[in-house]
Amino acid sequence: MSYELQALIGTLELLTVASAEVPAARVVPLAQGLALLPVTPAVLAALQGDGTARRRAGGAGFGWHSDGFELRLAAWSKAGPIACVEADYFGGSGTQRAAVWADGVVDLGPLTIGEFEASPAEGTPISRALRRLGAHTEEGRVDEFESVGLGRHRTTGGWAEPTA
């Protein structure tokens, strides 16, 4: 079974305000006062700025977004921390990356787990980013990822679809 996600995560209030700048954006509430904005191709295109997607040493290390995207995250983070997360798993192995912007700069990360790497004792990149946003592991849950409900959909597109 596969799981893939490219998303922004922050408080519901922050992402609601930020999404007003991006007509294609959809904000989905999560548990613990957080929300997710799936980074679909339409959202990514709107956030790219000059459209130049490139990896840069001083940036957050995500190969799929541009300097303009990072500048937008930096601006939004002045109102509160915001995480950029990605995961790509198939059959139990895969990769995960996360970074958190706060006060206009990358505050955490980029954190990465590569294919076949064990999760560090302090948690996966996404769980660590969620913790930085204030999430906690609830009783009976494995980690912050599960506690906020990130297993609800298995694809970025699934998060972007309106619910009935």
Side-chain angles (χ1 to χ4, degrees):
M1 188 174 267
S2 66
Y3 182 92
E4 65 87 12
L5 178 66
Q6 290 182 337
L8 303 178
I9 300 175
T11 63
L12 180 59
E13 179 182 3
L14 174 63
L15 289 186
T16 300
V17 170
S19 69
E21 297 178 24
V22 185
R26 178 173 186 269
V27 176
V28 182
L30 298 171
Q32 300 185 20
L34 296 177
L36 178 143
L37 190 156
V39 181
T40 62
V43 169
L44 187 59
L47 293 175
Q48 288 292 24
D50 66 1
T52 307
R54 63 184 175 94
R55 194 177 299 270
R56 55 189 185 112
F62 293 82
W64 48 269
H65 62 65
S66 69
D67 293 346
F69 185 95
E70 289 194 23
L71 290 172
R72 186 77 61 99
L73 292 180
W76 289 341
S77 77
K78 291 178 182 177
I82 187 167
C84 183
V85 302
E86 69 178 21
D88 189 7
Y89 285 88
F90 183 79
S93 66
T95 60
Q96 200 179 107
R97 180 174 290 122
V100 177
W101 280 256
D103 298 318
V105 297
V106 176
D107 181 64
L108 176 70
L111 306 171
T112 302
I113 292 180
E115 192 167 10
F116 306 115
E117 287 183 33
S119 293
E122 61 271 15
T124 65
I126 293 176
S127 284
R128 290 178 62 193
L130 290 169
R131 207 174 305 136
R132 171 61 182 86
L133 298 177
H136 60 276
T137 302
E138 295 177 336
E139 187 174 335
R141 302 290 183 168
V142 173
D143 58 13
E144 294 81 3
F145 184 102
E146 183 182 1
S147 293
V148 301
L150 287 178
R152 190 175 352 154
H153 298 286
R154 302 206 58 81
T155 66
T156 302
W159 285 100
E161 294 174 5
T163 55

